[in-house]
């Protein structure tokens, strides 16, 4: 039986082959629960606003459409379980709102349940099609954290580890693909693994990233430096 993800991928790839357009991929991790974070001292708390990674994603979409045109292909991969649980906690339909933001920008929304969905989706793209890749979410120097402090306080149960990056089919990336992680610390180790696995540079943070710049209409900044 075909899964919803496989049906989506078949439809999307058929469209992509006809239009011969490049693909811009945005990976969006999930938020922490306030019930966990409120137990921590204020300087260590995360995600008071549920939409940090969602808003950063939509801002990046707007940038891409300004640069490449409004018909450019954007694939937005979002870790769904985190927004289901945070939505239940806050009493708001976050998954519905996310779908509306994708529809507004004509982006292809792919809901992820785990890291396997990420690799399956990435490896489905045609050779040389991925022109941009951006990650917005929690991370450490070794992992993209699809969830953090959501199921377990200050811990993660779903991630993409640097040692798994060999699962990516390197040929999906265009020669000059621009890849960047807006998660904390990924430039300290994960960027090197990404380069070794794909042949493409991943710009990452040496230090923590700060999403408060979203209130100024700017993408997250780094409290340190961006490195390759």
């Amino acid at each position: 039986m075909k899964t919803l993800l496989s049906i989506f991928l078949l439809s999307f790839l058929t469209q992509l082959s006809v239009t011969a357009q490049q693909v811009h991929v945005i990976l969006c991790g999930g938020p922490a629960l306030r019930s966990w974070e409120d137990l921590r001292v204020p300087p260590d708390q995360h995600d008071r606003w549920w939409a940090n990674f969602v808003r950063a994603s939509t801002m990046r979409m707007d940038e891409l459409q300004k640069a490449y045109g409004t018909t450019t292909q954007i694939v937005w991969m979002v870790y769904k379980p985190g927004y289901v649980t945070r939505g239940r906690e806050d009493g708001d339909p976050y998954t519905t709102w996310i779908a509306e933001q994708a529809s507004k920008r004509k982006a292809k929304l792919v809901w992820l349940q785990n890291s396997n969905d990420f690799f399956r989706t990435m490896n489905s793209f045609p050779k040389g099609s991925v022109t941009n890749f951006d990650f917005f979410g929690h991370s450490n120097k070794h992992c993209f954290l699809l969830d953090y402090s959501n199921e377990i306080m200050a811990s993660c149960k779903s991630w993409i580890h640097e040692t798994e990056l060999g699962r990516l089919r390197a040929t999906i990336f265009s020669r000059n693909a621009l890849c960047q992680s807006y998660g904390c610390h990924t430039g300290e180790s994960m960027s090197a693994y990404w380069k070794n696995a794909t042949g493409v540079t991943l710009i990452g943070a040496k230090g923590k990233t700060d999403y408060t710049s979203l209130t100024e209409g700017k993408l997250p900044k780094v409290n340190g430096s961006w490195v390759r």
Side-chain angles (χ1 to χ4, degrees), residues 41 93 98 107 193 228:
V41 296
I98 289 169
Y193 279 79
R228 296 172 180 267

Side-chain angles (χ1 to χ4, degrees), residues 198-218:
T198 67
V200 177
T201 295
L202 176 70
I203 300 170
K206 185 176 182 180
K208 293 183 178 181
T209 52
D210 185 352
Y211 280 71
T212 59
S213 57
L214 297 179
T215 60
E216 304 169 0
K218 299 178 182 178

